[in-house]
């Protein structure tokens, strides 16, 4: 069985998107900007075979584990498909 993930076809054994260091740095820049300028973000994540949407104020929860706290929900870097500004 195939899944559609980030506009490309992947087989079922792929359970999470692959995050490069460059992409993580772009995410961090956007997250820090949202904290400094007080605006919300919408995270689209992929976990458990499903896409999830989490919106709200975000805080860098643990830099070494690459986790973010959004509206009381912990989002890991490997779950993030994309981030949008609200």
């Amino acid at each position: 069985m195939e899944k559609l993930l980030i506009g490309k076809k992947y087989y079922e054994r792929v359970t999470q998107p692959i995050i490069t260091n460059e992409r993580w740095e772009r995410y961090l820049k956007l997250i820090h900007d949202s904290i400094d300028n007080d605006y919300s973000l919408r995270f689209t994540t992929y976990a458990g075979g499903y896409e999830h949407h989490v919106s709200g104020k975000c805080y860098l929860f643990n830099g070494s584990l690459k986790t973010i706290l959004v509206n009381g929900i912990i989002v890991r870097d490997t779950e993030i498909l994309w981030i949008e500004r609200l």
Side-chain angles (χ1 to χ4, degrees):
M1 169 158 303
E2 295 179 1
K3 296 280 183 186
L4 189 64
L5 181 62
I6 315 177
K8 298 180 182 176
K9 287 185 178 180
Y10 290 88
Y11 291 95
E12 188 70 30
R13 68 180 183 272
V14 175
T15 58
Q16 59 193 18
I18 299 167
I19 300 293
T20 62
N21 286 334
E22 295 147 359
R23 182 179 238 181
W24 176 247
E25 291 301 322
R26 286 193 312 235
Y27 288 162
L28 277 181
K29 184 177 179 182
L30 183 60
I31 290 164
H32 284 295
D33 187 54
S34 75
I35 293 168
D36 294 341
N37 296 315
D38 195 37
Y39 61 85
S40 297
L41 295 174
R42 177 181 169 138
F43 290 76
T44 302
T45 62
Y46 182 82
Y50 296 96
E51 245 185 50
H52 303 276
H53 301 281
V54 181
S55 300
K57 303 280 182 179
C58 61
Y59 306 93
L60 190 60
F61 189 62
N62 188 322
S64 61
L65 293 177
K66 296 182 178 178
T67 56
I68 303 154
L69 184 64
V70 183
N71 254 359
I73 298 171
I74 297 173
V75 177
R76 294 183 330 188
D77 68 324
T78 55
E79 299 172 338
I80 300 171
L81 294 176
W82 63 82
I83 303 173
E84 301 171 87
R85 182 179 176 171
L86 294 180

